[in-house]
Amino acid sequence: MLLHKVSLTEMMSRIHEPGYSPETVLDPYLERYRQLEPHIHAFVPEGEVEGRLDSEKALLQSIYSAEERKPALYGIPVAIKDLLHVDGLPTRAGSQLSAELLAGAQGSLVTKLRALGAVIAGKTVTEEFAYNGPIATRNPHNLAHTPGGSSAGSAAAVAAGLCPLAVGTQTLRSVIAPASFCGVVGFKPSYGRVPLDGVLLFSPSFDTIGFFTQNLPDMEAAAALLVPDWEAPAATIPRKPVLGIPKGVYMELMSAEVKGVFEANITGLKQLGYEIRDVQMPWEDELIYGNAMLRFIEGELAREHEDRFAEHRVEYGLPVQEAILRGQQIPEEELEQYRTRQRELRRDLMELMDQEGLDLWVSPAQGGTAPKIEERNTGWAGMPAVWGFAGVPTVTLPAATLEGLPLGFQCIGRYGEDETLLAWARQLWPHLADKQPLPAK
């Protein structure tokens, strides 16, 4: 295992201590980078990492005098998935297309990170255009296994302790799956909550920026800084949340081992006094088992790449080529039907939660642990995808280890109530978090 403990909140707490400087966190980061990155390949290769970081550090020190109060992330390294534009770094999106062809303006999230004093650790590896394709990244828990996709590098970087915070995106599973596989906390906010400017889009009706940290308190701190208009509860909600488990085919999308772990988690929560209800869901089995969501995202992918693909088709990997060609055959009327169903399901879920008196939905984050690299499978869409279709917020917590590989416990909240989701998750965290020790940083 190539794992080191890092804490965002601990780093933030040290910023105002006497003698603190960006070197306080950047020097250990570079040491871990030199030690671990050749094995994990979390980052897109970059010619002069140390020189660039020195320049970012010098810029920060020129802006903030020794006496001036430092911003919340002063000098802290944050990794950015290579779908987001970052001034000074090329965007390739895991593809063979030129950076010039994919260039775009830095978005508001990265600008905000820099205004908060963060140092961009680097661009992290993604599957091609967040869809599919070979990746070099390995799972820090076991290098023979995938870290998940498509936010592979972001999850692996945090799991290894290269940086305390990383940014990813999710269309169907791309935050929740790698977080589960790498044993970290992954948070996908409500659809539309974090602006998508500065992001190379895959499927605009799904795409959501998400975050990775090693623990839940760190995620709460990150969300408070980076999610617009965040209003966290002042204190822990003074009751236990009522949890809902989906009935039907959804809960068949997992291995027997994962089902056993989840049932043990649920039994433990019941013994602690949590009320848990099995609920018939307002979606059709076809939405879970069928091709509707795949057709939806491929139809939008084709439209996002229409102009580039027409001129540069041969530079696209075969899986993405085939997806775009399929998407071109999907009529706009069908896509509009899917968008209507999205809004309906979002409404239906909220009404059902009211009807059943639920605070959270819960399930495994993935149907299995991280597959081996040779299996060419970076995860399953089943457990997280339908919630992404509805646009509701989700968070996965490290909950167990099976044969040395992590497994996450997924919590799903009401649309737009991201703060409440993390507050409820804060209650569950001590009972679920897989507390296997990591080497000290």
Side-chain angles (χ1 to χ4, degrees):
M1 293 192 295
L2 300 176
L3 307 171
H4 288 262
K5 183 178 180 180
V6 293
S7 170
L8 177 65
T9 49
E10 181 181 326
M11 288 183 183
M12 290 170 62
S13 72
R14 293 161 57 195
I15 287 172
H16 301 293
E17 292 178 354
Y20 176 91
S21 71
E23 288 92 342
T24 307
V25 289
L26 289 178
D27 287 352
Y29 163 71
L30 281 170
E31 183 179 344
R32 291 192 296 273
Y33 182 93
R34 297 185 200 104
Q35 175 190 357
L36 302 179
E37 176 59 11
H39 305 284
I40 296 171
H41 307 291
F43 289 92
V44 176
E46 186 181 343
E48 293 293 335
V49 177
E50 297 190 27
R52 180 180 61 78
L53 291 180
D54 282 342
S55 297
E56 292 208 28
K57 178 176 62 179
L59 178 60
L60 274 178
Q61 292 173 318
S62 71
I63 294 172
Y64 298 98
S65 68
E67 297 78 22
E68 188 174 1
R69 185 168 179 83
K70 308 302 190 294
L73 299 178
Y74 182 67
I76 295 176
V78 178
I80 308 292
K81 183 176 181 177
D82 192 27
L83 284 184
L84 284 76
H85 297 304
V86 175
D87 288 349
L89 290 172
T91 300
R92 298 295 297 275
S95 78
Q96 296 302 310
L97 275 71
S98 71
E100 292 73 22
L101 188 63
L102 299 176
Q106 177 174 286
S108 55
L109 176 68
V110 176
T111 298
K112 189 171 191 176
L113 280 164
R114 283 181 150 160
L116 288 165
V119 172
I120 304 305
K123 301 292 277 304
T124 54
V125 171
T126 176
E127 292 176 285
E128 184 176 1
F129 294 112
Y131 180 81
N132 199 349
I135 54 174
T137 311
R138 299 295 184 260
N139 192 317
H141 289 264
N142 186 324
L143 298 180
H145 291 257
T146 179
S150 64
S151 302
S154 291
V158 168
L162 288 171
C163 53
L165 172 64
V167 177
T169 64
Q170 178 160 310
T171 304
L172 292 180
R173 57 172 167 84
S174 300
V175 169
I176 299 300
S180 180
F181 290 168
C182 290
V184 299
V185 176
F187 172 46
K188 184 203 78 68
S190 294
Y191 173 76
R193 185 76 190 263
V194 181
L196 285 168
D197 58 305
V199 179
L200 278 175
L201 297 177
F202 172 176
S203 176
S205 297
F206 280 80
D207 292 344
T208 304
I209 287 175
F211 307 99
F212 300 89
T213 60
Q214 282 196 355
N215 61 62
L216 189 61
D218 284 1
M219 186 61 74
E220 292 183 279
L225 291 171
L226 300 175
V227 178
D229 303 317
W230 190 264
E231 296 183 6
T236 301
I237 302 172
R239 67 174 178 85
K240 291 180 171 65
V242 179
L243 311 179
I245 299 175
K247 282 184 180 178
V249 297
Y250 176 87
M251 293 303 291
E252 302 304 318
L253 303 176
M254 65 188 81
S255 69
E257 293 79 11
V258 170
K259 183 174 288 189
V261 167
F262 180 70
E263 289 173 350
N265 290 149
I266 293 300
T267 297
L269 292 173
K270 285 180 178 177
Q271 291 171 348
L272 291 167
Y274 287 86
E275 185 175 353
I276 298 166
R277 300 172 183 173
D278 294 307
V279 181
Q280 192 63 46
M281 301 306 292
W283 55 58
E284 309 81 12
D285 287 356
E286 176 63 22
L287 184 62
I288 305 297
Y289 271 132
N291 292 321
M293 283 189 277
L294 186 60
R295 288 179 62 81
F296 192 179
I297 64 170
E298 289 183 347
E300 292 200 330
L301 177 69
R303 286 151 177 80
E304 286 297 314
H305 287 265
E306 183 175 5
D307 294 338
R308 281 190 294 262
F309 189 71
E311 296 185 22
H312 300 274
R313 174 175 168 176
V314 296
E315 297 169 53
Y316 284 75
L318 186 58
V320 180
Q321 282 192 44
E322 292 174 343
I324 290 174
L325 291 171
R326 288 192 297 269
Q328 289 174 345
Q329 304 306 310
I330 299 171
E332 188 63 35
E333 294 78 8
E334 183 177 343
L335 298 182
E336 278 303 318
Q337 290 173 1
Y338 294 143
R339 294 180 186 116
T340 298
R341 182 66 185 110
Q342 275 188 310
R343 295 188 292 271
E344 292 173 346
L345 181 57
R346 187 178 304 161
R347 178 203 64 206
D348 292 347
L349 284 170
M350 294 185 73
E351 290 179 353
L352 185 58
M353 293 181 82
D354 289 338
Q355 177 185 321
E356 297 288 336
L358 302 178
D359 297 301
L360 295 177
W361 301 102
V362 295
S363 80
Q366 282 284 274
T369 53
K372 289 186 175 181
I373 295 292
E374 66 249 26
E375 295 175 26
R376 298 182 181 275
N377 173 20
T378 55
W380 302 273
M383 308 309 289
V386 70
W387 310 109
F389 181 83
V392 295
T394 58
V395 63
T396 181
L397 311 176
T401 301
L402 288 174
E403 298 182 355
L405 293 169
L407 178 68
F409 184 97
Q410 182 178 213
C411 302
I412 304 100
R414 294 169 180 261
Y415 177 75
E417 298 185 14
D418 303 45
E419 295 92 336
T420 306
L421 167 64
L422 292 193
W424 288 129
R426 186 193 312 156
Q427 286 199 27
L428 298 177
W429 168 255
H431 311 308
L432 291 171
D434 190 21
K435 299 298 185 183
Q436 293 212 1
L438 300 179
K441 65 178 186 298

